Amino acid sequence: KQEVTQIPAALSVPEGENLVLNCSFTDSAIYNLQWFRQDPGKGLTSLLLIQSSQREQTSGRLNASLDKSSGRSTLYIAASQPGDSATYLCAVSSRGPTGANSKLTFGKGITLSVRP
Amino acid sequence: EAGVTQFPSHSVIEKGQTVTLRCDPISGHDNLYWYRRVMGKEIKFLLHFVKESKQDESGMPNNRFLAERTGGTYSTLKVQPAELEDSGVYFCASSPRPFTRQGHTEAFFGQGTRLTVV
């Protein structure tokens, strides 16, 4: 059974700091890994998707890496801003119980607060 | 292009009542997923439709939950009768293809329906 862990549950940093959010998963047989952002009372916004054959993806100030063999991913946020304050969720897609389908397994998320 | 839309955004019902949640996926997305987040827990998978067929319903908590996707377009999730532990945020997501080793498949989520059972 796939399990995804994100530690710590919350993080507070001053504006301008570079930071790393960690995600670990127990089963390395994944199809892809997706990082989401959730603002309070809002839905999930996809930030980056890394396919299982890839090592990293970049979008603006965000860089996500994937080490499938060790079951780890990191989301690097450069020069953090107050607008980056949100909950960041990591999710992996892997084969479902019947073998023919797949689903996302989520971590609990990391609530980030960037102080002005 | 419209995203995934969910109705209602909030619902407060009494224990024992029935509630129906609706999800309109992105047009052309055959794959539709329901997920749920209860307080303090992670978002958990409920079920997966491919067009109108249930591909995987292994996450459905019990038979008080009924999901349908008639015609392969929008989907409904009915809870009958609702219990206190059903409170949480219900998310719907869609994707053009299932997650497989081939291709870049991204899940697009709706804003969620916050269900409160009192």
Side-chain angles (χ1 to χ4, degrees), chain B residues 78-99:
Chain B
K78 180 190 289 188
V79 185
Q80 178 182 29
E83 298 290 345
L84 299 178
E85 64 265 25
D86 300 333
S87 296
V89 181
Y90 290 76
F91 291 101
C92 175
S94 72
S95 65
R97 295 174 299 278
F99 309 116

Side-chain angles (χ1 to χ4, degrees), chain B residues 1-16:
Chain B
E1 177 184 283
V4 177
T5 308
Q6 293 186 244
F7 305 96
S9 57
H10 294 85
S11 180
V12 181
I13 62 171
E14 293 184 350
K15 176 183 172 181

Side-chain angles (χ1 to χ4, degrees), chain A:
Chain A
K1 177 187 172 187
Q2 179 72 269
E3 293 182 2
V4 178
T5 302
Q6 294 183 257
I7 296 174
L11 187 62
S12 180
V13 301
E15 181 177 5
E17 189 165 299
N18 300 325
L19 56 102
V20 174
L21 306 182
N22 293 305
C23 170
S24 62
F25 47 95
T26 54
D27 185 351
S28 62
I30 65 171
Y31 295 137
N32 61 45
L33 183 145
Q34 206 165 345
W35 281 93
F36 293 90
R37 168 184 172 140
Q38 184 179 23
D39 293 281
K42 304 289 186 180
L44 305 179
T45 300
S46 178
L47 296 174
L48 288 165
L49 180 147
I50 309 177
Q51 295 180 70
S52 61
S53 60
Q54 297 175 325
R55 299 283 294 183
E56 66 177 331
Q57 283 288 325
T58 299
S59 176
R61 294 183 294 110
L62 305 180
N63 175 277
S65 66
L66 173 64
D67 184 342
K68 200 172 70 164
S69 60
S70 68
R72 294 180 183 178
S73 176
T74 61
L75 178 66
Y76 175 82
I77 303 177
S80 59
Q81 303 170 358
D84 294 330
S85 299
T87 297
Y88 291 82
L89 296 139
C90 166
V92 297
S93 64
S94 51
R95 185 175 292 180
T98 66
N101 53 67
S102 57
K103 60 184 180 182
L104 290 176
T105 302
F106 282 84
K108 288 187 177 181
I110 298 173
T111 299
L112 172 66
S113 175
V114 181
R115 308 186 300 271

